[in-house]
């Protein structure tokens, strides 16, 4: 399958060729685990997932790695950042997002990181983010790779790309790497002091160039610290991704690197300088692919505007007033093209819920006809050919969904074949976790069995209607509606269906 991707390195849509035939090595920058991931974060993560699944549909084996940044947030400043993290924990406890018993000591960065890592993995799995099922093998934590970071910094010093300043801090020297600025389009003289990373507590006057960025900061007093040749301290932010990409994917040069658009500079620019400075390769990743930001009802998401939502807020109904099935949120976050700013709206969620309900009902119809047996099908099937070719065209999801909607309206007398086509499409859309090698992992499947309590109310409603006890019937109906069910009253029966949003 011939893929094209928009490469931020060349600002062009390019034909995709992996280094090793048939195998794609892909790295995505992961979350900083000092709070719950928000829907903007998940937009960026799920675009990476859509890319991976589209490549897999196209026949590639994809080795996907995503890191957990459990150091960076503790090293921005000094105690004030810790204080900020602790305050966030307290806020989250107050709002009930973090239960009282969790994170016993909000001043312990390891407890904080541990709690939010688990929360992130839980949300990610609900949202069908495939790499999260491969934790820990494909989801490394920065704190587990400190030795590798020290090793890479030593190599960079040996190769003349890094230096120890007179106050003992280790910096990358941007002037030693003429390509610095190539990804972001920043030229050396445009670069401002402090632009080298999240760390602001370094003494700028000790740097050779204002854009030199931190690799290691000795600091005896710091709350997260490790021994190193430059004294006890902590690593800079960028070094972790250079180290973990190589350690887990096993190569100096990889195929694809993804992240949100805000990571282009400084983070990805610095990753390139470190990795290529160390390996001598001309490229760290051949294709750099970035997702544009998510907006909420047309505005930038921010806590002060009150339009800042975590994925859990959406699931739990804190955004729309009704619980939202994770499959609906997933669909909503992947259905617009990654290179356009996505606008998250309640209306969008409602539309996504309608589409998913339609797809799940359609699958149920096919399964009842076939007993769940699907035919063998591959991409030579004309509908799948069109569907996969749209995705191969720089992830043209609107095109792929158009093909799918058109197909739903066609003849489906060969139900086994249609079920097979449905399953292939779902391997990318992942609105229901089937046939994906994800067995053993608990994930809610929309359209699955209604819960026991609702069934009890439904039966009570049928019985009450037979006895002309309409007061009880109404009472049961109200309970069902309140629990999020659609209630259809027939002549002799009552049917209920859980609403997805
Ligand atoms: P962080 O946890 O801040 O390191 O961010 C994790 C990922 O989310 C990065 O790839 C960011 O680029 C991305 N990101 C942050 N905010 C947004 C947003 N509003 N829309 C889309 N992606 C975002
Ligand atoms: Zn990164």
């Amino acid at each position: 399958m011939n893929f094209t991707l928009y490469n931020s390195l060349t600002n062009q849509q390019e034909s995709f060729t992996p280094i090793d035939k048939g195998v794609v090595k892909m790295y995505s920058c992961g979350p900083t685990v000092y709070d719950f991931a928000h829907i903007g974060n998940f937009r960026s993560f799920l675009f990476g997932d859509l890319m991976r699944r589209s490549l897999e549909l196209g026949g590639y084996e994809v080795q996907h790695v995503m890191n957990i940044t459990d150091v960076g947030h503790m090293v921005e400043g000094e105690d004030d950042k810790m204080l900020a993290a602790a305050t966030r924990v307290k806020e989250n406890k107050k709002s009930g997002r973090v239960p009282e018993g969790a994170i016993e000591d909000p001043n312990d960065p390891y407890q904080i990181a541990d709690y939010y890592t688990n929360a992130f993995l839980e949300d990610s799995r609900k949202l069908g983010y495939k790499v999260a099922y491969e934790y820990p093998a494909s989801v490394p934590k920065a704190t587990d790779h400190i030795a590798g970071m020290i090793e890479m910094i030593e190599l960079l010093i040996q190769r003349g790309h890094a230096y120890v300043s007179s106050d003992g801090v280790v910096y990358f020297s941007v002037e030693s790497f003429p390509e610095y600025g190539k990804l972001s389009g920043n030229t050396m003289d445009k670069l401002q002091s402090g632009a080298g990373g999240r760390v602001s507590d370094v003494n700028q006057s000790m740097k050779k160039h204002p854009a030199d960025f931190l690799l290691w900061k000795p600091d005896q007093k710091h709350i997260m610290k490790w021994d190193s040749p430059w004294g006890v301290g902590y690593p800079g932010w960028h070094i972790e991704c250079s180290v973990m990409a190589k350690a887990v994917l096993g190569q100096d040069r990889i195929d694809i690197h993804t992240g949100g658009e805000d990571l282009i500079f400084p983070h990805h620019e610095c990753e390139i300088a470190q990795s290529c400075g160390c390996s001598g390769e001309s490229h760290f990743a051949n294709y750099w692919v970035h997702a544009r930001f998510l907006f909420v009802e047309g505005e930038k998401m921010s806590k002060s505007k009150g339009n800042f939502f975590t994925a859990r807020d959406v699931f739990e109904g804190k955004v729309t007033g009704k619980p939202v099935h994770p499959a609906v949120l997933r669909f909503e976050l992947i259905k617009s093209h990654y290179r356009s700013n996505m606008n998250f709206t309640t209306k969008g969620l409602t539309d996504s819920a309608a589409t998913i309900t339609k797809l799940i009902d359609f699958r149920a119809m096919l399964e009842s006809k076939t007993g769940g047996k699907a035919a063998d099908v591959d991409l030579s099937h004309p509908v799948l050919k069109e569907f996969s070719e749209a995705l191969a065209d720089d992830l043209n999801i609107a095109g792929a969904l158009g093909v799918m909607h058109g197909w739903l309206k066609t003849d489906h007398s060969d139900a086994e074949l249609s079920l097979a086509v449905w399953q292939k499409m779902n391997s990318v859309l992942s609105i229901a976790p089937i046939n994906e090698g994800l067995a053993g992992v608990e994930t809610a499947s929309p359209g699955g069995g209604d819960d026991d309590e609702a069934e009890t109310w439904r039966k009570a409603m049928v019985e009450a209607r037979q006895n002309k006890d309409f007061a009880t019937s109404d009472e049961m109906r109200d309970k069902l509606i309140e629990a999020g069910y659609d209630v259809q009253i027939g002549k002799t029966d009552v049917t209920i269906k859980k609403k997805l949003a």
Side-chain angles (χ1 to χ4, degrees), residues 27-30 67 237-238 240-241 257 263 267-268 271:
Y27 185 93
S28 301
C29 291
N67 66 301
W237 169 36
H238 315 300
E240 67 175 80
C241 290
H257 196 312
L263 296 185
H267 187 52
H268 289 166
E271 283 188 31

Side-chain angles (χ1 to χ4, degrees), residues 27 64-68 70 114 117-118 120-121 125 130-142 144-145 244 247-249 441:
Y27 185 93
H64 187 196
V65 171
M66 183 205 56
N67 66 301
I68 301 272
D70 57 351
D114 217 46
T117 299
N118 288 330
F120 172 74
L121 291 169
R125 287 172 181 157
K130 204 164 177 179
V131 76
Y133 294 99
E134 296 159 2
Y135 175 83
S138 302
V139 187
K141 291 180 184 174
D144 288 334
H145 286 267
M244 288 188 275
V248 187
L249 290 169
V441 184

